[in-house]
């Protein structure tokens, strides 16, 4: 069993129901997790109330009770790529995420995530990502290091004051004029983890430039004005230039389900620019990674 000491706890406010114990509620709410697993976690003090008090198997259920628990995965598969810390101060941490590493715990990944690794390396369990990039995408991720200033940095994303630049390698589009603005409506696709363009008022927007030619492949600079899931991947695929090694778009392939470390998605979160909400000074961070042809 993995040790989640350096991972932030997940939180559940117990829903309305007729359970007699917290344990019964957890088993019903998380039906995929065996009762024995919850009993084992409780025995190790890995299930607590909002004040940090350990909850046992006989603790009475109460609607709205705040329960903290740690997600754990048996025999978690290591991801053999190392993140780099580009900047760290009392408020902000900037990291270069390698391909294939998730930003936050999800599914089969708990310790093998950028958040868990950084919490451990920096000894700060309060690290929270201010935004996310796909597991298959490499590049910059900003973390809040101090809960007291977190809201000021989150506002930069909400108010579109965080200027993001990505790079991608994809097939050439010689019949289109660049710079190009792609504005479409995106919605959930099939399977559930994919997105698609649909008819309707646009809710996604990306500005695209061509910055380098290499035969049938071009290097694109992408500036997402909105932040829809898989936005850049969907927009380029819809133009007829799916990003190299993309196993999700335009169609789902085996590459989208099984990691091939020799064929990373050619998409990089290259730079972030913003005015620091605390100091007021302009800040620019650039990834040290580069997409090879």
């Amino acid at each position: 069993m993995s040790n989640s000491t350096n991972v932030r706890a997940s939180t559940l406010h117990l829903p309305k129901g007729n359970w007699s114990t917290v344990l019964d509620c957890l088993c019903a709410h998380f039906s995929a997790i065996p009762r024995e697993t919850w009993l084992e976690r409780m025995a190790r003090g890995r299930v607590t109330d909002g004040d940090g008090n350990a909850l046992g198997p006989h603790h009475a259920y109460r609607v709205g009770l705040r329960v903290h628990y740690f997600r754990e995965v048996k025999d978690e598969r290591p991801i053999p790529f190392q993140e780099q810390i580009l900047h760290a101060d009392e408020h902000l941490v900037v990291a270069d995420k390698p391909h294939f590493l998730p930003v936050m715990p999800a599914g089969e990944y708990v310790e093998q995530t950028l958040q868990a690794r950084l919490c451990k390396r920096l000894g700060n369990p309060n690290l929270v990502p201010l935004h996310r990039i796909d597991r298959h995408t490499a590049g910059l991720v900003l973390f809040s290091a101090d809960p007291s200033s977190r809201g000021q940095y989150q506002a930069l994303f909400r108010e579109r004051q965080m200027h993001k630049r990505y790079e991608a390698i994809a097939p050439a589009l010689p019949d289109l004029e660049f710079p190009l603005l792609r504005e479409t409506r995106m919605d959930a696709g099939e399977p559930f983890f994919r997105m698609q363009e649909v008819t309707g008022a646009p809710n996604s927007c990306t500005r695209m430039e061509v910055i380098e030619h290499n035969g049938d492949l071009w290097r694109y600079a992408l500036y997402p004005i909105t932040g829809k899931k898989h936005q850049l991947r969907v927009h380029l695929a819809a133009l007829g230039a799916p990003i190299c090694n993309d196993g999700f778009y335009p169609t789902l392939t085996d590459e989208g389900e099984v990691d091939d470390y020799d064929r990373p998605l050619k998409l990089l979160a290259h730079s972030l620019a913003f005015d620091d909400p605390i100091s007021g000074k302009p800040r620019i961070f650039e990834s040290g990674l580069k997409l090879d042809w």
Side-chain angles (χ1 to χ4, degrees):
M1 182 74 72
S2 60
N3 179 357
S4 301
T5 303
N6 299 293
V7 180
R8 285 176 59 88
S10 297
T11 301
L12 173 68
H13 291 84
L14 298 190
K16 187 176 181 180
N18 58 358
W19 303 283
S20 59
T21 66
V22 171
L23 175 62
D24 290 338
C25 179
L26 290 173
C27 290
H29 190 79
F30 300 102
S31 57
I33 301 176
R35 188 180 188 89
E36 293 75 17
T37 298
W38 286 113
L39 286 169
E40 193 269 343
R41 290 180 182 179
M42 286 179 164
R44 293 187 293 113
R46 307 302 280 163
V47 182
T48 70
D49 64 15
D51 295 321
N53 301 310
L55 298 176
H58 304 296
H59 194 96
Y61 158 83
R62 187 179 80 249
V63 64
L65 177 68
R66 187 171 61 178
V67 175
H68 296 314
Y69 63 95
F70 291 88
R71 299 184 65 256
E72 297 175 326
V73 175
K74 287 184 178 180
D75 304 319
E76 188 173 353
R77 177 170 55 91
I79 296 176
F81 303 105
Q82 184 65 43
E83 73 284 351
Q84 298 296 324
I85 297 175
L86 304 182
H87 171 86
D89 61 34
E90 60 182 320
H91 299 288
L92 196 65
V93 173
V94 184
D96 236 349
K97 185 188 82 67
H99 288 104
F100 304 106
L101 183 69
V103 172
M104 295 181 66
E108 62 183 294
Y109 303 101
V110 175
E111 290 189 7
Q112 293 298 306
T113 63
L114 183 60
Q115 182 183 26
R117 289 185 180 185
L118 292 179
C119 285
K120 183 176 182 178
R121 286 180 62 179
L122 297 174
N124 182 358
N126 292 315
L127 288 178
V128 171
L130 293 164
H131 63 120
R132 304 185 197 184
I133 60 177
D134 299 340
R135 185 172 73 86
H136 295 97
T137 303
L140 298 184
V141 182
L142 268 60
F143 283 77
S144 163
D146 183 352
S148 68
S149 60
R150 185 164 299 152
Q152 296 178 70
Y153 288 97
Q154 289 172 330
L156 296 175
F157 291 89
R158 186 173 60 252
E159 298 168 6
R160 297 184 182 177
Q161 298 300 309
M162 180 68 65
H163 305 290
K164 300 179 252 184
R165 180 182 187 271
Y166 286 70
E167 288 188 3
I169 294 177
L173 292 169
D175 296 331
L176 298 180
E177 290 189 9
F178 290 87
L180 179 150
L181 197 66
R182 181 75 176 179
E183 295 182 279
T184 64
R185 185 164 193 84
M186 290 178 55
D187 203 349
E190 292 291 340
F192 69 93
F193 52 80
R194 296 177 74 237
M195 299 291 287
Q196 63 181 343
E197 291 187 339
V198 298
T199 57
N203 62 1
S204 64
C205 182
T206 304
R207 184 165 62 88
M208 306 178 180
E209 299 176 357
V210 179
I211 55 177
E212 192 175 359
H213 301 78
N214 185 23
D216 293 335
L217 295 177
W218 286 356
R219 189 184 304 271
Y220 296 86
L222 308 173
Y223 303 87
I225 297 170
T226 57
K228 290 294 182 182
K229 176 182 176 181
H230 295 174
Q231 176 177 314
L232 304 180
R233 300 165 70 174
V234 171
H235 278 177
L236 271 174
L239 290 173
I243 297 173
C244 291
N245 303 335
D246 194 339
F248 284 11
Y249 304 99
T251 57
L252 183 64
T253 68
D254 290 343
E255 295 175 4
E257 299 175 347
V258 179
D259 288 342
D260 183 347
Y261 293 151
D262 294 326
R263 291 175 53 81
L265 178 71
K266 297 296 184 176
L267 180 60
L268 173 68
H270 177 271
S271 60
L272 292 165
F274 59 97
D275 290 336
D276 191 282
I278 295 176
S279 70
K281 296 180 179 179
R283 308 185 82 166
I284 299 177
F285 296 102
E286 292 190 355
S287 172
L289 303 173
K290 184 173 175 61
L291 298 176
D292 296 327
W293 292 104

